[in-house]
Amino acid sequence: MTEMHPGVAAQPPEATRGFRFNHSMLRVKDPAVSLAFYTHVLGMRVLRKLDFAEMKFSLYFLARLEREDEAPADAGERMAWTFGREGILELTHNWGTESQPDFKYHDGNAQPQGFGHICFSVPDLAAAVRWFDENKVSFVKRPEQGKMKNVAFIRDPDGYWIEVLQPDLLRGLGQPAA
Amino acid sequence: MTEMHPGVAAQPPEATRGFRFNHSMLRVKDPAVSLAFYTHVLGMRVLRKLDFAEMKFSLYFLARLEREDEAPADAGERMAWTFGREGILELTHNWGTESQPDFKYHDGNAQPQGFGHICFSVPDLAAAVRWFDENKVSFVKRPEQGKMKNVAFIRDPDGYWIEVLQPDLLRGLGQPAA
């Protein structure tokens, strides 16, 4: 199922067989704060941390797993499994930023713009909003605000925007009203 | 399988059941150029385009599909299916940027930093590099350059960095050399 628009290839070339959109990487100021947010508020799991002492940074690879035993226990196998699937979030920590009071990463929505947001889908948007409120999460936009109803935007600890939506409420998006 | 680090929740809270990391959004200057790149060079498919005429922007939702018939044909069902899965790339086109010669989005790696890159995993990194060369893709780093062997970084048409890796070559990443 490919919608045709200017520029679109009719079929994926054979040379791209097996390509997979694996992860998106965001730099974070304080990994303890970001890991608390992504593992508690959004329920992700840390699959692997890598330290690069010479270059003074660490990488954290996170995913939403359906089951505790989904990822291989062996560290090497788990690393290959992590890179072979979709839906991975990589957080990069450049050592020392967490102790600089004025240090702040750029969210991509203020100027200069580029990257916009990541998005989580949830089975029940109203319940998710209550959960975010319980956890004192900062909202860019609540579902009832703005033009796009049924879509919320929250902020992660670095200020990156996270869209939150409930898929079955958005079936009619982009279609003429009945 | 959750690695414990400062801040990490031991278990995903029950309130996060069914949450899914659905998509990442990047703004693009010229959708025809970006769609050619993502559907031809990376073999993605366009699942849905949404136009917001009043606000003068369009959204394109792309994914790597294993099979042509994986996504529902009905537009509403396909929209809900798109939002319910992982590995979606959303491209935002603010109308008119494509005709401004000096217009350029920010890649997040120059200052001010924030977002870093997206990543595709491929079954054969050497073959993927040949494919990128055939398609005159711009490299930030070839696999043999720099400290991280077996990892390439290419640029998309807006200059966003795309990491390219072969999962089974990275089993030993972060582990002491044997």
Side-chain angles (χ1 to χ4, degrees):
Chain A
M1 190 68 236
T2 298
E3 288 192 0
M4 294 310 297
H5 300 286
V8 172
Q11 288 292 328
E14 181 59 30
T16 66
R17 183 181 294 273
F19 285 20
R20 193 161 281 185
F21 176 21
N22 173 244
H23 73 244
S24 297
M25 186 277 265
L26 300 174
R27 296 175 179 87
V28 299
K29 171 176 176 159
D30 186 334
V33 174
S34 295
L35 291 174
F37 178 84
Y38 283 101
T39 63
H40 181 71
V41 176
L42 293 178
M44 300 188 91
R45 295 176 194 249
V46 180
L47 295 172
R48 200 84 169 85
K49 178 196 184 193
L50 299 178
D51 294 313
F52 295 83
E54 200 183 333
M55 294 175 280
K56 296 193 168 56
F57 69 87
S58 297
L59 308 178
Y60 298 85
F61 294 90
L62 289 81
R64 274 291 312 180
L65 300 185
E66 300 301 318
R67 303 186 321 277
E68 170 71 16
D69 60 355
E70 202 179 335
D74 173 77
E77 291 307 310
R78 194 162 73 248
M79 194 76 261
W81 182 87
T82 298
F83 285 132
R85 54 163 283 166
E86 297 181 320
I88 301 292
L89 179 65
E90 178 185 6
L91 302 179
T92 294
H93 173 223
N94 291 302
W95 297 358
T97 54
E98 69 280 13
S99 55
Q100 301 171 39
D102 295 335
F103 187 90
K104 193 172 176 358
Y105 279 119
H106 177 63
D107 69 10
N109 296 306
Q111 295 295 339
Q113 290 192 320
F115 163 80
H117 60 261
I118 58 175
C119 172
F120 279 70
S121 61
V122 301
D124 182 335
L125 183 60
V129 167
R130 287 194 299 274
W131 169 247
F132 298 145
D133 280 335
E134 280 171 34
N135 286 280
K136 314 250 183 296
V137 171
S138 165
F139 279 80
V140 177
K141 167 190 141 25
R142 291 177 169 271
E144 66 276 13
Q145 297 174 319
K147 289 185 196 293
M148 286 276 287
K149 305 304 177 197
N150 293 323
V151 171
F153 279 87
I154 59 176
R155 287 183 187 88
D156 94 340
D158 286 276
Y160 296 116
W161 291 16
I162 302 175
E163 185 176 6
V164 182
L165 52 77
Q166 180 180 331
D168 60 349
L169 296 182
L170 299 176
R171 279 206 178 83
L173 207 59
Q175 300 194 70
Chain B
M1 191 66 238
T2 299
E3 288 192 1
M4 295 310 296
H5 301 285
V8 171
Q11 289 292 327
E14 182 57 30
T16 66
R17 183 180 293 274
F19 284 21
R20 192 161 280 185
F21 177 20
N22 172 245
H23 73 244
S24 297
M25 186 278 264
L26 300 175
R27 296 174 179 88
V28 299
K29 171 176 177 160
D30 186 335
V33 175
S34 295
L35 291 175
F37 178 84
Y38 283 102
T39 64
H40 181 71
V41 176
L42 294 177
M44 301 188 90
R45 296 177 193 248
V46 180
L47 295 172
R48 200 83 170 82
K49 178 195 184 194
L50 299 177
D51 295 313
F52 296 83
E54 199 184 333
M55 294 175 278
K56 295 194 169 54
F57 70 86
S58 298
L59 308 178
Y60 297 85
F61 293 91
L62 288 81
R64 275 291 312 180
L65 300 185
E66 299 301 318
R67 303 186 321 276
E68 170 72 14
D69 60 353
E70 203 178 334
D74 173 76
E77 290 307 309
R78 194 162 72 250
M79 194 77 259
W81 181 88
T82 297
F83 286 132
R85 53 165 281 166
E86 297 181 321
I88 301 290
L89 178 65
E90 178 185 6
L91 303 179
T92 294
H93 173 223
N94 291 302
W95 298 358
T97 53
E98 69 281 13
S99 54
Q100 301 171 40
D102 295 336
F103 187 90
K104 191 168 175 4
Y105 279 120
H106 177 63
D107 70 10
N109 295 307
Q111 295 296 339
Q113 290 191 320
F115 162 80
H117 60 260
I118 58 174
C119 172
F120 279 72
S121 62
V122 301
D124 182 335
L125 182 61
V129 167
R130 287 194 298 274
W131 169 247
F132 297 145
D133 280 335
E134 280 172 34
N135 285 280
K136 314 250 183 295
V137 171
S138 165
F139 278 79
V140 176
K141 167 188 141 28
R142 291 178 168 271
E144 67 276 12
Q145 297 175 319
K147 287 185 197 294
M148 285 278 286
K149 307 304 177 196
N150 293 324
V151 171
F153 279 87
I154 59 176
R155 288 184 186 88
D156 95 339
D158 286 277
Y160 295 116
W161 291 15
I162 303 175
E163 184 176 6
V164 182
L165 53 77
Q166 179 180 332
D168 59 349
L169 295 182
L170 299 176
R171 279 204 178 84
L173 207 60
Q175 299 195 71

